[in-house]
Amino acid sequence: MSSESNASPRLGGKIDYKILAVILCLTLAYHVVNNAIKDITEEFNAIDIAELSLQLVVMISAFIISKLYWPGKIFGRAYFALGVAFAMWFTAEVLWQIFENILFIEPYPSVADIFYFAFYPFAIYHMITNIRGFEVKITKKTKAWMIAIPVIIVSAYSYLAISSEGTNFHYYYSLIFVSIASTSISFAILGAQSFRHSALAVVWSLLAVGLFFHTFADIWYYYLEIFGQYTDTHIVNALWQAGWMVIVYSLYRHQKVL
């Protein structure tokens, strides 16, 4: 294990399930309120402000942890990359709101997708750097399931998309996002496995779980787009919020133990 992660095993503490229960309740409340508000108006509203604010909190929190870690370099770079990743996502969301609620044009596909895509290289770099910091040994079995996960996800997506619409622009365009998102799923799972034996097992595992929720929601979104079933009130939006709240909780715990 890297010297940066040498710390008392007690530093990681235990998961506060009351906080997780609060996150679950907030997620459900978001979904209920989102549906109620969107029934009244589909334009920019309090729900959109809450979403953007939560993303901003994630981004700022990641940069704060990056600064605290920076003397150690490895994890400093990792959390700086996570901050940049969410800066890309926040930028994409702002552009989405501008297209949808100010310019009244279709936000997908659009230039916002450049920033949505940019989230993943930085997020994957964050996870790889963290994993390398723990000097995790990657076995052949690990490599096998890490390859299998994106292959299965992409294959299932391709089957559904081609069966529904054939190989058109929409399929190839969305396949780019599904491919990189499904790849990050493998690293999130590997991260959760790798961190469970570390001194900071709780905070790192929570972060990996939060990123998993975020990525899973993103993949689900593209599946919904295949059949034109995505709406601003779909429960997939609540899953994004849950992922971001878990990440915020993880980063808060991280700040407390460094």
Side-chain angles (χ1 to χ4, degrees), residues 146-255:
M146 286 188 70
I147 294 172
I149 288 174
V151 168
I152 291 171
I153 292 174
V154 170
S155 297
Y157 176 79
S158 296
Y159 173 77
L160 290 173
I162 294 172
S163 298
S164 175
E165 298 182 351
T167 53
N168 53 24
F169 169 79
H170 177 75
Y171 163 70
Y172 289 113
Y173 187 76
S174 57
L175 185 62
I176 298 172
F177 296 90
V178 173
S179 297
I180 193 167
S182 59
T183 299
S184 71
I185 285 280
S186 293
F187 285 106
I189 295 174
L190 178 62
Q193 289 184 341
S194 304
F195 306 150
R196 72 181 187 275
H197 297 304
S198 76
L200 297 173
V202 170
V203 290
W204 264 306
S205 295
L206 281 171
L207 180 60
V209 169
L211 287 171
F212 175 85
F213 284 170
H214 171 93
T215 306
F216 182 81
D218 216 23
I219 294 172
W220 191 2
Y221 163 78
Y222 288 105
Y223 273 81
L224 292 170
E225 284 287 356
I226 296 175
F227 302 105
Q229 295 179 350
Y230 174 78
T231 65
D232 288 339
T233 57
H234 194 282
I235 196 169
V236 69
N237 293 286
L239 186 57
W240 268 311
Q241 314 313 310
W244 299 333
M245 283 188 280
V246 171
I247 292 172
V248 169
Y249 175 44
S250 167
L251 294 173
Y252 171 77
R253 289 286 299 272
H254 224 127
Q255 180 268 332

Side-chain angles (χ1 to χ4, degrees), residues 37 43-51:
I37 288 181
E43 297 180 0
F44 190 75
N45 53 48
I47 281 291
D48 298 311
I49 294 173
E51 291 176 358

